[in-house]
C-alpha cells in the first residue's frame, strides 16, 4: 500500500486540476466564455506518467496551484450545484470515466449535460439510488445495527440509523450538539442550556421525543415474538406486562396485525399518556399494579418492589395505599414544600444498608419522601427552581455527611450559583463536581486528572454530533434512508446553493461550538499555558504558542489576545452559555475575510514564516512557499485570491467561464478517496 500511495496522490491532484488545462475551460480573468455542455468521451489523459511539483507551483505537469484557487473562486459564486456538476462532466468526465471504467461517469453525466444544453430541469434521484446500490450503501442501511432482533432469528428487524434518526434530529434542534459529547462537558452544558426552561415544557418535549423510538420498538418483532412464544421468560413476561398495562388495547392483538409505523406512533402516544396519567389517577395506578401482580411471576421483582416502595405488590390494600401516595405527591394543587433532610438524632451512616428496612432509603427518609420531592420538582416553574428545591433538601447532608465519609463532592458551589443566577459559575461547579465524582477529564496525556477542565476537546462522538447537525441544517431531513437521502440530495442539487452557501453553513455550525470552548480557554488561559509548558520537552512551546496566537489574531483581525477574548465573551449568551447569533455572524465574516481582503490575507505571511522556522527545516520559507504555490510572494498570491473570489456575474454567466467548479472538488475528494482505498 505504501508504494502505491504516491500514485493515488497524483490521481487525486490530477482529478482536481487536470480538466482545466486539458480541456481549456478556464479562461483568463475578465473573460466570459460560455460552455457547450458537451464532453469528448473518447478523450483520456495518461496521468500515471506525471509527477508532482517538477515545476514550482505545478501540482503535476501543466496543472498549477493557481488553477485550484481560480476554480474555487468561481465555485464560490456559482449559480447552482447542477451547473457545477455539468462543468465537472465537461472538464473531468472523460478522465474520470476512464479511471472508474464501465462508462459509469458517462451514464451519470449524459442526462445532466442534456438538460443543461436544453435548459431543462433535471434530477439526480435515480442516479443517486443506483449509486447507493452499486456502492453497497443500501445494504449498509438494511443491515444496520439491530436493537434487539440480532439475538433472535426474526424476520423483522429494528434499524437504528434510519429509524432513530428523527429522534436525533429533534434533540439537536432542541439543545444543539454540545450535550451529545456524552461526557461531563455535555452533561453540564445541557444543564446550563435548559436551566431556565419551564419544567412542563421539558416534560412535554421529552414525551414527544420518546414517541418515535417507542414506535420503532413496537414496529419491530420484539413483542410479536414474545406473544408467539409458548414459554416466555420472566423478563419477557415483565416487559410485555409493563407495556401492555399502559396500552389502550391488547398489545399482542395489536402487533399481530403488523401495524404501520404511523399506527405504532399512535399506540406509543397512548402508552406514554397513560403512563403519565398513572401519576395523578389512582384508578389507572391500581390497574397497572394489579396487572403487574397478575402477570409477573418473578419473585425477585416482587422482592425488589417491596424493598423500594415498602409495599407488598400482592396485597390489594398495599397497592391502594401506594397509589394514593403517588397521586397525592404529583397532584397539581399539592402544597408540599421540600425541606432540608438531616440525620435523625442518634442515627449514623457508618453501618447503613439501603433498604434494610423496606421503603427506607436513608434513616428517616422513605419512598414517600422521594415521591413528594419528585412531585414538587415537576410542579416547579423552571428547571432552576426545581434544582434549588433539591439543593434545599440535600445540600447540608451531602456537604457534611457524604463528602467527608464517602468522597461525594460537595454541591455547595452549585447550589449557591443556582440561587444567585450565576450561570458560568454553575457550569464550572458542575464540571468540578462531576470530574471528582467520575474521575474523568479528557486529555491526551498520561496524567488526565491534572489536565485543565477548561480544555474541552472535540472527541469523536462530539465531532460526530456536530457533523450530524451540519447535515440536519443542510438538508432539513426528516428521516435517513437511501431513498430519503437521495431526495434531499436531489433537492439541494437543483437549488441555488453554491460553495459559498455550503462553507458559510459549515463555518456557522462549527463556530457555535468553538466560541464557547474558546471562551472557557480565555478565562483560564494561564492555567492552560502552564499545563502545556510543563510538558514541553524541547523548550519550544513558548515560541510556538506565540506564533499560533499571532496566526489566530491576524486571521480574525484582532490586535492582541485580550481584545479577542473580550469579543468572544460579549458573544456568549449569559444564560445558556452558547454563542449568540450576532457573535457567530461576526466571527464568520472575519474568518472568511482573507478571501477578499488582501491585507488580511498577507497578514498570514509573518506567522507562517515564524512557525516554519520552529520546524527546524533546512529549506527557507521563501523556497517552500514558491515551490508549492508558484507565487513569488504572499502579496502576489493574495492579490489573485481577492480577484478570483470577488468575481461578478457577466451576462448571466459567471466571470471566468462558469461558476460551477466547487462541486468538482467535493466529488473529486470522494472519488479519489475511493480510488486510494481500493
Amino acid at each position: 500500500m505504501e508504494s502505491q500511495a504516491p500514485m493515488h496522490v497524483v490521481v487525486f491532484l490530477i482529478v482536481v486540476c487536470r480538466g482545466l488545462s486539458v480541456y481549456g475551460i478556464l479562461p483568463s480573468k475578465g473573460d466570459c466564455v460560455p460552455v457547450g455542455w458537451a464532453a469528448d468521451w473518447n478523450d483520456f489523459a495518461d496521468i500515471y506518467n506525471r509527477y508532482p511539483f517538477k515545476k514550482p507551483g505545478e501540482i503535476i505537469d501543466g496543472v498549477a496551484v493557481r488553477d485550484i484557487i481560480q476554480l474555487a473562486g468561481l465555485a464560490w459564486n456559482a449559480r447552482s450545484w447542477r451547473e457545477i456538476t455539468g462543468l465537472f462532466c465537461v472538464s473531468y468526465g472523460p478522465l474520470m470515466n476512464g479511471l472508474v471504467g464501465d462508462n459509469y461517469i458517462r451514464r451519470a453525466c449524459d442526462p445532466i449535460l442534456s438538460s443543461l444544453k436544453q435548459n431543462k430541469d433535471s434530477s439526480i434521484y435515480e442516479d443517486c439510488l443506483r449509486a447507493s446500490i452499486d456502492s453497497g450503501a443500501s445494504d449498509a442501511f438494511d443491515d444496520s445495527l439491530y436493537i434487539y432482533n440480532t439475538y433472535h432469528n426474526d424476520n423483522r428487524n429494528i434499524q437504528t440509523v434510519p429509524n432513530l434518526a428523527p429522534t436525533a434530529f429533534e434533540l439537536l434542534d432542541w439543545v444543539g450538539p454540545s450535550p451529545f459529547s456524552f461526557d461531563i462537558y455535555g452533561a453540564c452544558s445541557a444543564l446550563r442550556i435548559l436551566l431556565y426552561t419551564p419544567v412542563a415544557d421539558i416534560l412535554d418535549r421529552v414525551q414527544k421525543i420518546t414517541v418515535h423510538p417507542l414506535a420503532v420498538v413496537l414496529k419491530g418483532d420484539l413483542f410479536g415474538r414474545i406473544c408467539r412464544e409458548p414459554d416466555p421468560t420472566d423478563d419477557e413476561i415483565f416487559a410485555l406486562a409493563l407495556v401492555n398495562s399502559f396500552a389502550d388495547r391488547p398489545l399482542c392483538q395489536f402487533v399481530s396485525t403488523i401495524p404501520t409505523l404511523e399506527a405504532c406512533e399512535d399506540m406509543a402516544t397512548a402508552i406514554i399518556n397513560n403512563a403519565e396519567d398513572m401519576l395523578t389517577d389512582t384508578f389507572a395506578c391500581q390497574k397497572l399494579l394489579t396487572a403487574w401482580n397478575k402477570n409477573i411471576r418473578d419473585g425477585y421483582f416482587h422482592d425488589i418492589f417491596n424493598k423500594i416502595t415498602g409495599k407488598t405488590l400482592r396485597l390489594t390494600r398495599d397497592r391502594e395505599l401506594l397509589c394514593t401516595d403517588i397521586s397525592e405527591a404529583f397532584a397539581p394543587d399539592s402544597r408540599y414544600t421540600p425541606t432540608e433532610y438531616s440525620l435523625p438524632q442518634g442515627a449514623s451512616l457508618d453501618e447503613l444498608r439501603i433498604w434494610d428496612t423496606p421503603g427506607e432509603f436513608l434513616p428517616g427518609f422513605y419512598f414517600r419522601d422521594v415521591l413528594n420531592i419528585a412531585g414538587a420538582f415537576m410542579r416547579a416553574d423552571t428547571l432552576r427552581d426545581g434544582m434549588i428545591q433539591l439543593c434545599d433538601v440535600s445540600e447540608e447532608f451531602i456537604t457534611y455527611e457524604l463528602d467527608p465519609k464517602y468522597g461525594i463532592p460537595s454541591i455547595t458551589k452549585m447550589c449557591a450559583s443556582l440561587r444567585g443566577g450565576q450561570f458560568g459559575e454553575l457550569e464550572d461547579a458542575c464540571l468540578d463536581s462531576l470530574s471528582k465524582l467520575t474521575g474523568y477529564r479528557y486529555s491526551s496525556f498520561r496524567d488526565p486528572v491534572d489536565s485543565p477542565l477548561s480544555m474541552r476537546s472535540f472527541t469523536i462522538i462530539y465531532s460526530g454530533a456536530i457533523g450530524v447537525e451540519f447535515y440536519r441544517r443542510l438538508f432539513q431531513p426528516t428521516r435517513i434512508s437511501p431513498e430519503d437521502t437521495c431526495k434531499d440530495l436531489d433537492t439541494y442539487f437543483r437549488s441555488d446553493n453554491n460553495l459559498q452557501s455550503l462553507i458559510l453553513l459549515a463555518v456557522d455550525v462549527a463556530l457555535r461550538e468553538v466560541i464557547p470552548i474558546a471562551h472557557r480557554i480565555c478565562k483560564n488561559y494561564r492555567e492552560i499555558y502552564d499545563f502545556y509548558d510543563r510538558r514541553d520537552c524541547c523548550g519550544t512551546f513558548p515560541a510556538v504558542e506565540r506564533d499560533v496566537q499571532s496566526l489566530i489574531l491576524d486571521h480574525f483581525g484582532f490586535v492582541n489576545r485580550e481584545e479577542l477574548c473580550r469579543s468572544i465573551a460579549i458573544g456568549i449568551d449569559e444564560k445558556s452559555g452558547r454563542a449568540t447569533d450576532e457573535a457567530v455572524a461576526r466571527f464568520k465574516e472575519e474568518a472568511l475575510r482573507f478571501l477578499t481582503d488582501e491585507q488580511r490575507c498577507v497578514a498570514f505571511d509573518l506567522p507562517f514564516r515564524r512557525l516554519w522556522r520552529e520546524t527546524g527545516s533546512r529549506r527557507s520559507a521563501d523556497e517552500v512557499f514558491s515551490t508549492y504555490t508558484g507565487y513569488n510572494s504572499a502579496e502576489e498570491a493574495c492579490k489573485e485570491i481577492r480577484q478570483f473570489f470577488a468575481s461578478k456575474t457577466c451576462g448571466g454567466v459567471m466571470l471566468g467561464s462558469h461558476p460551477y467548479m466547487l462541486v468538482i472538488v467535493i466529488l473529486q475528494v470522494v472519488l479519489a478517496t475511493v480510488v486510494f482505498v481500493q
Side-chain angles (χ1 to χ4, degrees):
M1 177 61 72
E2 291 183 0
S3 61
Q4 296 178 3
M7 183 56 65
H8 289 305
V9 172
V10 174
V11 170
F12 167 70
L13 295 173
I14 235 341
V15 166
V16 173
C17 304
R18 179 56 183 163
L20 298 176
S21 57
V22 170
Y23 302 109
I25 293 299
L26 196 63
S28 60
K29 297 183 293 293
D31 296 332
C32 296
V33 179
V35 177
W37 303 123
D40 183 2
W41 295 107
N42 295 318
D43 189 10
F44 175 70
D46 181 12
I47 67 171
Y48 293 101
N49 294 322
R50 297 178 180 269
Y51 299 94
F53 298 107
K54 290 182 66 176
K55 297 179 182 179
E58 289 194 352
I59 297 176
I60 53 173
D61 295 348
V63 180
V65 170
R66 277 184 170 89
D67 297 332
I68 297 179
I69 298 174
Q70 188 168 9
L71 73 86
L74 294 172
W76 186 258
N77 297 302
R79 292 182 298 181
S80 73
W81 288 91
R82 184 172 76 100
E83 292 183 347
I84 292 175
T85 307
L87 187 59
F88 162 73
C89 291
V90 171
S91 56
Y92 297 107
L95 179 63
M96 292 307 302
N97 196 56
L99 287 172
V100 176
D102 198 28
N103 280 327
Y104 185 85
I105 301 297
R106 181 173 184 176
R107 290 199 308 270
C109 282
D110 279 345
I112 296 173
L113 292 175
S114 177
S115 70
L116 288 168
K117 188 181 300 183
Q118 300 173 26
N119 198 25
K120 294 182 178 179
D121 194 15
S122 63
S123 170
I124 63 169
Y125 178 72
E126 296 296 335
D127 290 329
C128 177
L129 280 181
R130 189 182 306 113
S132 71
I133 295 172
D134 294 342
S135 65
S138 294
D139 293 336
F141 274 100
D142 290 338
D143 298 332
S144 59
L145 299 173
Y146 303 161
I147 293 177
Y148 183 86
N149 299 30
T150 300
Y151 305 101
H152 305 281
N153 295 322
D154 299 320
N155 295 324
R156 285 181 287 169
N157 52 49
I158 303 171
Q159 302 164 0
T160 55
V161 173
N163 285 325
L164 298 186
T167 303
F169 295 147
E170 181 81 15
L171 288 169
L172 286 169
D173 181 57
W174 184 19
V175 294
S178 182
F180 297 102
S181 56
F182 296 108
D183 54 16
I184 62 175
Y185 299 98
C188 295
S189 177
L191 171 62
R192 186 171 178 181
I193 289 172
L194 297 175
L195 200 60
Y196 267 78
T197 306
V199 173
D201 289 353
I202 295 176
L203 295 174
D204 183 62
R205 195 76 179 250
V206 170
Q207 177 181 343
K208 292 178 179 177
I209 290 174
T210 308
V211 167
H212 188 79
L214 180 55
V216 168
V217 174
L218 294 173
K219 178 65 177 172
D221 200 36
L222 168 61
F223 292 107
R225 189 192 60 77
I226 295 176
C227 291
R228 296 191 303 271
E229 188 71 42
D231 187 23
T233 65
D234 288 338
D235 290 340
E236 291 170 339
I237 292 174
F238 171 71
L240 181 62
L242 176 64
V243 179
N244 206 27
S245 58
F246 296 122
D248 58 359
R249 75 191 81 167
L251 194 58
C252 287
Q253 176 185 338
F254 174 76
V255 298
S256 67
T257 63
I258 311 182
T260 64
L261 184 60
E262 290 72 19
C264 290
E265 288 179 342
D266 291 339
M267 171 63 86
T269 301
I271 290 173
I272 294 171
N273 288 336
N274 291 336
E276 185 178 354
D277 290 342
M278 172 198 164
L279 298 177
T280 55
D281 187 335
T282 55
F283 176 77
C285 173
Q286 291 180 34
K287 177 184 176 183
L288 170 68
L289 297 185
T290 301
W292 285 4
N293 179 53
K294 178 181 178 182
N295 295 298
I296 299 175
R297 300 172 301 187
D298 188 1
Y300 179 72
F301 172 79
H302 283 262
D303 184 52
I304 290 296
F305 184 91
N306 173 254
K307 286 183 177 295
I308 294 176
T309 66
K311 301 292 190 293
T312 302
L313 185 60
R314 294 188 176 91
L315 299 178
T316 302
R317 179 57 180 167
D318 275 12
R319 296 197 298 267
E320 292 174 350
L321 290 174
L322 178 58
C323 288
T324 300
D325 289 343
I326 293 174
S327 63
E328 289 178 352
F330 290 94
D333 57 352
S334 173
R335 300 195 177 195
Y336 173 82
T337 300
T339 56
E340 177 187 332
Y341 168 77
S342 58
L343 286 175
Q345 188 174 3
S348 172
L349 296 178
D350 294 338
E351 298 181 358
L352 173 67
R353 294 181 59 187
I354 190 170
W355 299 323
D356 195 26
T357 300
E360 187 178 34
F361 287 67
L362 293 167
F365 189 78
Y366 297 90
F367 181 68
R368 182 171 183 175
D369 298 310
V370 174
L371 292 175
N372 286 329
I373 294 171
F377 183 89
M378 292 179 64
R379 287 189 299 274
D381 291 335
T382 64
L383 179 62
R384 173 177 175 249
D385 296 327
M387 294 196 65
I388 289 175
Q389 291 180 344
L390 297 182
C391 283
D392 293 340
V393 173
S394 61
E395 180 181 359
E396 295 296 318
F397 175 69
I398 292 176
T399 301
Y400 296 107
E401 296 292 342
L402 296 185
D403 188 10
K405 295 181 179 179
Y406 301 100
I408 303 298
S410 171
I411 59 173
T412 299
K413 291 182 180 179
M414 286 186 62
C415 292
S417 301
L418 280 168
R419 296 186 180 104
Q422 299 165 317
F423 311 102
E425 289 79 355
L426 170 65
E427 190 172 6
D428 292 342
C430 173
L431 286 172
D432 184 61
S433 295
L434 287 184
S435 66
K436 292 177 180 177
L437 186 64
T438 63
Y440 173 89
R441 290 193 188 185
Y442 178 81
S443 173
S444 58
F445 296 94
R446 292 183 178 180
D447 50 349
V449 174
D450 293 332
S451 61
L453 271 176
S454 49
M455 280 298 295
R456 182 179 187 180
S457 301
F458 287 98
T459 60
I460 293 177
I461 296 176
Y462 189 17
S463 301
I466 296 171
V468 174
E469 171 67 357
F470 172 71
Y471 178 89
R472 183 189 72 84
R473 291 184 57 187
L474 182 67
F475 295 120
Q476 297 297 315
T478 55
R479 304 179 65 84
I480 289 186
S481 69
E483 294 78 10
D484 293 314
T485 301
C486 285
K487 287 179 182 177
D488 294 334
L489 286 171
D490 184 48
T491 301
Y492 190 80
F493 173 77
R494 291 187 283 180
S495 69
D496 59 358
N497 287 284
N498 55 15
L499 174 62
Q500 187 172 170
S501 60
L502 184 75
I503 296 300
L504 286 173
L505 177 60
V507 173
D508 185 288
V509 171
L511 283 174
R512 291 184 185 277
E513 304 307 312
V514 170
I515 291 175
I517 293 176
H519 178 54
R520 187 169 290 279
I521 292 174
C522 280
K523 292 197 304 179
N524 301 275
Y525 194 82
R526 176 49 57 183
E527 178 190 15
I528 295 170
Y529 182 96
D530 292 342
F531 173 74
Y532 284 102
D533 191 35
R534 288 196 304 269
R535 286 154 180 77
D536 179 20
C537 63
C538 308
T540 59
F541 175 74
V544 172
E545 183 273 341
R546 178 200 64 207
D547 296 338
V548 170
Q549 184 181 144
S550 176
L551 193 65
I552 295 172
L553 292 173
D554 290 340
H555 180 71
F556 286 100
F558 291 96
V559 176
N560 51 48
R561 189 183 76 244
E562 289 72 22
E563 183 184 1
L564 170 63
C565 287
R566 280 196 300 271
S567 183
I568 290 174
I570 293 171
I572 296 295
D573 181 76
E574 183 183 3
K575 290 184 177 179
S576 69
R578 311 309 300 161
T580 63
D581 292 340
E582 294 77 10
V584 171
R586 182 172 67 252
F587 278 95
K588 182 165 55 177
E589 180 181 358
E590 295 298 329
L592 300 173
R593 187 183 293 277
F594 75 97
L595 296 175
T596 53
D597 186 327
E598 286 186 45
Q599 290 184 345
R600 181 69 60 85
C601 176
V602 173
F604 281 109
D605 186 45
L606 183 58
F608 163 75
R609 292 175 181 275
R610 289 175 177 170
L611 280 173
W612 183 256
R613 284 198 300 268
E614 298 299 334
T615 65
S617 174
R618 296 180 179 179
R619 302 179 67 184
S620 69
D622 286 332
E623 180 186 358
V624 171
F625 186 83
S626 175
T627 299
Y628 291 105
T629 68
Y631 292 103
N632 294 319
S633 66
E635 289 79 6
E636 181 185 354
C638 290
K639 181 178 180 180
E640 287 207 339
I641 289 174
R642 182 191 62 78
Q643 291 172 343
F644 293 149
F645 279 85
S647 300
K648 304 296 182 181
T649 57
C650 178
V653 181
M654 294 305 299
L655 191 67
S657 172
H658 268 280
Y660 325 120
M661 296 287 197
L662 191 62
V663 79
I664 300 171
V665 177
I666 295 176
L667 289 172
Q668 291 146 349
V669 170
V670 175
L671 292 170
T673 302
V674 172
V675 172
F676 181 85
V677 172
Q678 292 179 345

